[in-house]
Amino acid sequence: MAPEEVVAALAAWSVRLVQFNGVVAARIGVGTTELQCLYELARHGPATPGTLAARVNLTTGSASRMVERLHAAGHVHRVPDPADRRRVLIEPDPATLQRIAALYDPLNARLAAELASADDAVLARMATFLAAAEQRTEDMIREL
């Protein structure tokens, strides 16, 4: 299989993944950007609104409004930053993360089953490629 074919297959999967993320977001009553925010908080832990803005590619004003919506819906909480009490961190609500996980777990289990027969070297190479793909995509977002 040629590299271009693999990239085309990833592009096709990414379209379906975007659609799936939209379904998950609708199920919990948020937009896709809010879902991305919750993912980033789950992945990296509590963050300032400015950090979240950078992670989801929003202006600080847009990120503040997004945090406001998530807070009003009970999906995030504001907590004092233990390193600097003047700052506020945004942390995800554990019950919201459990609801989201319940929607992703079946897909993740199916994908893991697809990979079950791959040896460690193949999985390591795939993980390396996917990390690089994430970084190259983030680079392009910043460039555009």
Side-chain angles (χ1 to χ4, degrees):
M1 179 176 265
E4 296 79 14
E5 292 173 286
V6 173
V7 171
L10 283 171
W13 178 45
S14 72
V15 169
R16 294 293 177 256
L17 196 52
V18 167
Q19 292 170 347
F20 186 76
N21 289 342
V23 170
V24 170
R27 287 274 176 99
I28 65 165
V30 299
T32 55
T33 303
E34 285 86 357
L35 183 65
Q36 290 173 23
C37 173
L38 291 166
Y39 171 78
E40 291 296 331
L41 290 171
R43 183 177 182 195
H44 299 289
T48 64
T51 298
L52 286 175
R55 288 185 185 157
V56 295
N57 201 32
L58 292 174
T59 65
T60 54
S62 293
S64 292
R65 289 186 295 279
M66 174 187 63
V67 167
E68 225 14 81
R69 291 188 302 273
L70 288 169
H71 184 263
H75 297 305
V76 298
H77 307 287
R78 292 183 181 98
V79 296
D81 183 342
D84 182 350
R85 293 280 182 194
R86 296 169 294 174
R87 290 190 330 174
V88 173
L89 296 177
I90 308 305
E91 68 177 14
D93 178 70
T96 295
L97 295 184
Q98 288 175 349
R99 286 179 60 205
I100 294 168
L103 295 166
Y104 280 100
D105 285 348
L107 174 60
N108 291 337
R110 291 174 186 182
L111 295 174
E114 291 290 330
L115 296 170
S117 63
D119 65 36
D120 289 346
V122 169
L123 293 174
R125 183 68 185 126
M126 288 177 71
T128 299
F129 169 76
L130 291 170
E134 179 184 4
Q135 186 60 55
R136 297 300 79 74
T137 303
E138 184 174 330
D139 294 346
M140 288 301 300
I141 289 168
R142 302 289 173 238
E143 288 176 27
L144 293 175

